[in-house]
């Protein structure tokens, strides 16, 4: 407690110094703080998925940055593998303190802009606590579920009213974000309820709902581009469009979505979302997530073609076209084309010689699309449960600077940008190829992220 008070006292001194300077730089925004037990040497600030600036930690694990002519709105910062959202306004001097061992729970703000960001953190932490409650609520009948959600929404509204009353100088923009942070997690759970109820019910059917169950939808605008990357908002839209698709008559699904469901979902997104950037983002997210969830090189060509027709984002369309072409390059029953890979002692190897007479898991990865920590945890789990398979990691961005922890370095390789393997890795997305000891591909585009990977591994592990 004493250390925290000392830290806050230091921050207030810093804020005072900053305040003296802002008379000359009346739109300069300051963002800084201290990281306890840092996971990297920097903090990266983003706005709408674009990097705003990178701030280096000093020898005391502190950082401070100036943002000239910063726009009011949502930002998020990243440190290590974690991130959190903040709301900045011109002339803010926002300072944070966090301990990476307890990232969100330890995060506290001081300075100009602190109140609004502390309440956003409170909203996030409260939502995390409510997950346990809803695990049980989802098993209950609709009247019980609705009564509980109405009660919670009443508490959220009271919190919102209290903040507004005590912070009359806040902008309408922040009040909108606060309202979303408070209420949209509840609305998301209302949209998700039918699927989870069916999951836990004895008959596996959706519940019967009355006309008032979704009355809150009349107050919601799902076409706010400035909120698209804010998790409570985007999560609600995702749950809403899925719920609307199920309402067309689809039955509850457990392992993977049917072809018809994916097609209908893409049509729902196209019809319901009028904001072009939001629509494009959800079209891409839907197509990619369904493709990876299926965990197979047997593609839904109709869905790919519908995406390419519906999206207006040329970059996204190029990525998806590359993904489609990649999936066709190595398929069930074929042989892996021969190419060379380089180990971390700079020795070249033939891929076909490496995998000869082995049941093999080939993971092609790029740090732009998957974290090393995720690969590590996932591969450790798979290797423990399917020990008769040889696991090889092949980094595809041409650099040997990064290695995956807890994975034998002898099983890690990389390829450069001129390697012939790049002909089936043009999308740069994570790809797993499963090969039996006869050298035959049993899955040309398995997914590291999907539980539908496991049946393939069970077969491979036994033979």
């Amino acid at each position: 407690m004493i250390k925290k008070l000392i830290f806050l006292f230091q921050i207030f001194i810093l804020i005072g110094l900053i305040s003296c300077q802002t008379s000359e730089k009346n739109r300069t925004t300051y963002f800084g703080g201290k990281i306890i037990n840092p996971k990297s040497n920097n903090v990266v600030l983003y706005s709408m998925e674009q990097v705003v600036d990178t701030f280096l930690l000093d020898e005391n694990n502190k950082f401070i940055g100036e943002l000239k002519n910063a726009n009011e709105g949502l930002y998020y910062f990243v440190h290590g593998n974690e991130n959190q959202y903040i709301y900045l306004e011109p002339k803010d001097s926002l300072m944070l303190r966090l301990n990476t061992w307890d990232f969100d729970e330890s995060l506290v703000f001081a300075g100009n802009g602190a109140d609004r960001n502390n309440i956003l953190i409170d909203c996030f932490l409260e939502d995390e606590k409510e997950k346990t409650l809803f695990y049980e609520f989802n098993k209950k009948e609709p009247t019980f579920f609705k009564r509980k959600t109405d009660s919670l929404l009443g508490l959220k509204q009271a919190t919102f009213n209290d903040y507004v009353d005590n912070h009359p100088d806040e902008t309408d923009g922040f009040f909108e974000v606060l309202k979303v942070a408070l209420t949209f997690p509840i609305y998301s759970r209302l949209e998700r309820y039918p699927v989870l109820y069916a999951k836990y019910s004895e008959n596996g059917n959706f519940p019967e709902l009355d006309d008032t169950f979704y009355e809150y939808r009349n107050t919601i605008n799902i076409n706010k581009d400035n909120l698209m990357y804010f998790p409570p908002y985007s999560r609600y839209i995702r749950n809403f469009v899925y719920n609307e698709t199920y309402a067309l008559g689809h039955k509850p699904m457990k392992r993977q979505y049917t072809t018809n469901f994916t097609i209908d979902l893409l049509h729902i997104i196209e019809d319901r979302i009028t904001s072009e950037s939001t629509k494009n983002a959800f079209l891409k997210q839907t197509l990619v997530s369904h493709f990876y969830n299926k965990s197979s090189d047997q593609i839904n060509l109709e869905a790919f073609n519908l995406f390419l027709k519906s999206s207006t984002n040329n970059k996204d369309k190029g990525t998806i076209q590359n993904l489609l072409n990649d999936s066709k390059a190595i398929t069930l029953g074929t042989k892996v084309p021969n190419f060379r890979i380089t180990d971390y002692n700079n020795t070249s190897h033939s891929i076909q010689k490496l995998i000869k007479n082995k049941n093999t898991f080939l993971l092609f990865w790029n740090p732009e699309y998957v974290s090393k920590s995720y690969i590590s945890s996932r591969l450790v789990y798979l290797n423990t449960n399917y020990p008769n398979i040889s696991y090889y990691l092949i980094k595809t961005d041409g650099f040997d600077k990064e290695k995956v922890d807890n994975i034998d370095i002898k099983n890690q390789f990389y390829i450069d940008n001129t390697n012939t393997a790049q002909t089936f890795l043009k999308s740069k997305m994570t790809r797993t190829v499963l090969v039996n000891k006869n050298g035959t591909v049993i899955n040309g585009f398995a997914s590291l992220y999907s539980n539908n990977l496991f049946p393939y591994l069970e077969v491979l592990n036994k033979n």
Side-chain angles (χ1 to χ4, degrees):
M1 183 65 180
I2 292 175
K3 288 183 178 179
K4 181 176 282 191
L5 289 173
I6 292 172
F7 171 77
L8 292 176
F9 178 68
Q10 292 171 335
I11 279 182
F12 289 131
I13 293 176
L14 178 59
I15 292 167
L17 294 173
I18 289 172
S19 298
C20 294
Q21 298 172 14
T22 54
S23 60
E24 299 177 5
K25 306 176 182 178
N26 62 359
R27 282 189 58 84
T28 300
T29 302
Y30 292 89
F31 175 56
K34 179 165 184 172
I35 311 290
I36 312 299
N37 301 309
K39 298 296 185 184
S40 67
N41 68 346
N42 61 58
V43 173
V44 184
L45 186 67
Y46 288 81
S47 173
M48 297 286 285
E49 296 294 289
Q50 300 297 316
V51 175
V52 175
D53 208 341
T54 299
F55 311 113
L56 296 178
L57 303 184
D58 65 17
E59 65 275 8
N60 298 311
N61 298 326
K62 297 179 182 178
F63 71 97
I64 184 69
E66 292 185 13
L67 306 174
K68 296 182 179 179
N69 299 314
N71 294 320
E72 175 187 346
L74 278 166
Y75 296 74
Y76 69 92
F77 67 90
V78 175
H79 177 74
N81 295 322
E82 306 238 30
N83 70 81
Q84 190 53 264
Y85 276 79
I86 56 177
Y87 194 95
L88 292 177
E89 295 180 11
K91 298 190 286 187
D92 274 353
S93 50
L94 185 67
M95 302 291 130
L96 64 81
R97 178 185 188 276
L98 69 84
N99 188 330
T100 63
W101 291 354
D102 203 10
F103 194 97
D104 298 307
E105 289 79 0
S106 70
L107 182 56
V108 62
F109 294 98
N112 294 337
D115 283 356
R116 77 175 85 96
N117 287 289
N118 281 326
I119 194 171
L120 287 182
I121 288 296
D122 289 343
C123 291
F124 173 82
L125 295 176
E126 195 65 24
D127 179 43
E128 291 294 300
K129 292 178 183 177
E130 289 167 358
K131 287 180 180 178
T132 303
L133 292 176
F134 277 91
Y135 177 77
E136 293 301 324
F137 292 170
N138 287 320
K139 301 175 183 178
K140 306 295 184 180
E141 294 303 311
T143 51
F144 177 93
F145 187 88
K146 191 65 161 60
R147 185 168 68 249
K148 290 296 184 181
T149 54
D150 285 347
S151 176
L152 283 170
L153 285 168
L155 295 174
K156 306 292 186 184
Q157 186 62 50
T159 299
F160 178 79
N161 293 341
D162 181 68
Y163 188 89
V164 171
D165 290 343
N166 288 285
H167 299 82
D169 295 330
E170 292 283 16
T171 65
D172 290 341
F174 176 70
F175 286 146
E176 179 182 44
V177 167
L178 178 58
K179 194 69 173 286
V180 167
L182 285 164
T183 60
F184 273 51
I186 306 298
Y187 296 151
S188 289
R189 292 187 168 106
L190 282 156
E191 298 289 344
R192 184 72 172 150
Y193 168 69
V195 171
L196 294 176
Y197 175 91
K199 176 182 177 181
Y200 297 120
S201 67
E202 291 184 4
N203 60 20
N205 293 329
F206 291 129
E208 294 185 9
L209 306 175
D210 64 32
D211 294 338
T212 66
F213 196 83
Y214 298 119
E215 59 187 356
Y216 58 86
R217 289 177 177 175
N218 298 324
T219 66
I220 290 177
N221 182 350
I222 64 171
N223 290 289
K224 290 275 190 177
D225 281 347
N226 62 314
L227 295 174
M228 183 179 68
Y229 294 103
F230 191 38
Y233 183 80
S234 59
R235 192 178 299 120
Y236 170 78
I237 297 177
R238 183 168 60 252
N239 288 337
F240 167 71
V241 294
Y242 272 79
N243 200 8
E244 286 284 88
T245 305
Y246 274 115
L248 296 176
H250 295 280
K251 299 296 183 183
M253 300 173 204
K254 294 183 179 180
R255 292 191 64 86
Q256 66 185 47
Y257 299 106
T258 66
T259 296
N260 288 338
F261 184 91
T262 301
I263 297 297
D264 284 345
L265 178 56
L266 293 173
H267 281 304
I268 287 285
I269 292 169
E270 189 173 19
D271 291 342
R272 300 289 195 278
I273 301 177
T274 59
S275 166
E276 186 174 11
S277 59
T278 302
K279 179 188 298 185
N280 287 335
F282 274 89
L283 287 170
K284 180 184 177 184
Q285 186 272 336
T286 297
L287 185 74
V288 172
S289 64
H290 284 211
F291 173 76
Y292 272 97
N293 179 65
K294 189 176 181 181
S295 191
S296 169
D297 54 47
Q298 305 304 297
I299 61 173
N300 181 349
L301 186 58
E302 187 178 355
F304 273 82
N305 288 337
L306 179 57
F307 169 86
L308 294 171
K309 176 184 175 182
S310 302
S311 177
T312 59
N313 185 308
N314 288 330
K315 181 179 178 181
D316 288 351
K317 291 167 76 170
T319 299
I320 297 304
Q321 184 63 61
N322 283 334
L323 181 62
L324 177 60
N325 294 340
D326 289 347
S327 68
K328 295 177 180 179
I330 299 178
T331 57
L332 175 68
T334 63
K335 302 287 186 179
V336 174
N338 198 22
F339 58 92
R340 302 197 70 81
I341 53 179
T342 307
D343 65 24
Y344 284 77
N345 288 320
N346 203 33
T347 301
S348 177
H349 303 264
S350 161
I351 189 67
Q352 289 187 350
K353 185 175 181 180
L354 182 71
I355 68 175
K356 186 176 181 180
N357 299 325
K358 300 176 185 175
N359 290 321
T360 307
F361 181 108
L362 296 175
L363 175 65
F364 299 90
W365 70 283
N366 186 316
E368 182 181 351
Y369 287 93
V370 63
S371 70
K372 294 185 294 181
S373 61
Y374 182 83
I375 293 175
S376 176
S377 62
R378 191 69 163 166
L379 263 292
V380 168
Y381 172 83
L382 295 180
N383 198 24
T384 301
N385 288 276
Y386 306 99
N388 298 324
I389 300 173
S390 297
Y391 296 86
Y392 297 114
L393 277 60
I394 302 171
K395 192 162 173 281
T396 63
D397 66 351
F399 301 105
D400 63 346
K401 302 294 184 184
E402 299 173 271
K403 305 175 184 67
V404 177
D405 295 335
N406 302 317
I407 304 298
D408 192 337
I409 192 63
K410 295 193 298 293
N411 293 339
Q412 298 191 52
F413 305 86
Y414 68 95
I415 57 176
D416 64 27
N417 294 326
T418 65
N419 194 288
T420 56
Q422 298 290 0
T423 58
F424 58 83
L425 300 168
K426 290 182 178 179
S427 71
K428 303 186 185 302
M429 293 185 182
T430 310
R431 176 175 194 168
T432 298
V433 177
L434 304 178
V435 187
N436 65 24
K437 61 179 61 176
N438 298 320
T440 301
V441 173
I442 68 165
N443 192 328
F445 215 124
S447 169
L448 186 65
Y449 315 101
S450 173
N451 290 339
N452 290 320
L453 169 69
F454 299 150
Y456 294 99
L457 296 181
E458 288 171 3
V459 170
L460 206 56
N461 191 61
K462 290 177 182 178
N463 297 325

